[in-house]
Amino acid sequence: MADNTEHLFRAEQAGISLIWEPSGDADVAGYVVLRGEPSDATLQPLTPSPVPDPRFRDTTVVSGRRYVYAVRAVDGHLPVPNVSDESTRVEETAR
């Protein structure tokens, strides 16, 4: 399961909106949003479970702080879903 998606991340008042091109795989069940700071080698999951739509609004940001985001596509295979590689990382500063 590859993730070659295009991303749009936009800082807005009280949050950062994330929008990405959905995966072309028919069996994608959702997306895990990852977040960190520019110095972080490993991003941490921001969403406790996959979000079903290719968009997410991060309202836990601190104004003036720079964040790094990426997403992973997850399929519905049980008991252990397949997870794509991390998408290209994008940085944004919270307003």
Side-chain angles (χ1 to χ4, degrees):
M1 173 185 290
D3 187 13
N4 299 320
T5 57
E6 294 294 323
H7 303 82
L8 169 66
F9 297 83
R10 187 173 73 204
E12 300 172 328
Q13 199 68 2
I16 295 177
S17 292
L18 299 80
I19 301 169
W20 56 92
E21 192 70 31
S23 172
D25 291 345
D27 62 346
V28 169
Y31 304 88
V32 174
V33 179
L34 308 171
R35 184 182 80 180
E37 294 187 9
S39 61
D40 295 340
T42 303
L43 302 182
Q44 300 301 315
L46 181 59
T47 53
S49 60
V51 295
D53 297 318
R55 68 179 73 78
F56 180 78
R57 182 167 169 79
D58 183 2
T59 58
T60 64
V61 298
V62 175
S63 181
R65 184 173 288 173
R66 191 151 186 84
Y67 294 94
V68 178
Y69 293 95
V71 295
R72 290 181 183 256
V74 180
D75 71 12
H77 184 262
L78 294 174
V80 179
N82 295 305
V83 179
S84 73
D85 291 336
E86 184 180 290
S87 68
T88 303
R89 293 181 176 196
V90 177
E91 293 187 26
E92 187 62 68
T93 301
R95 292 192 206 170

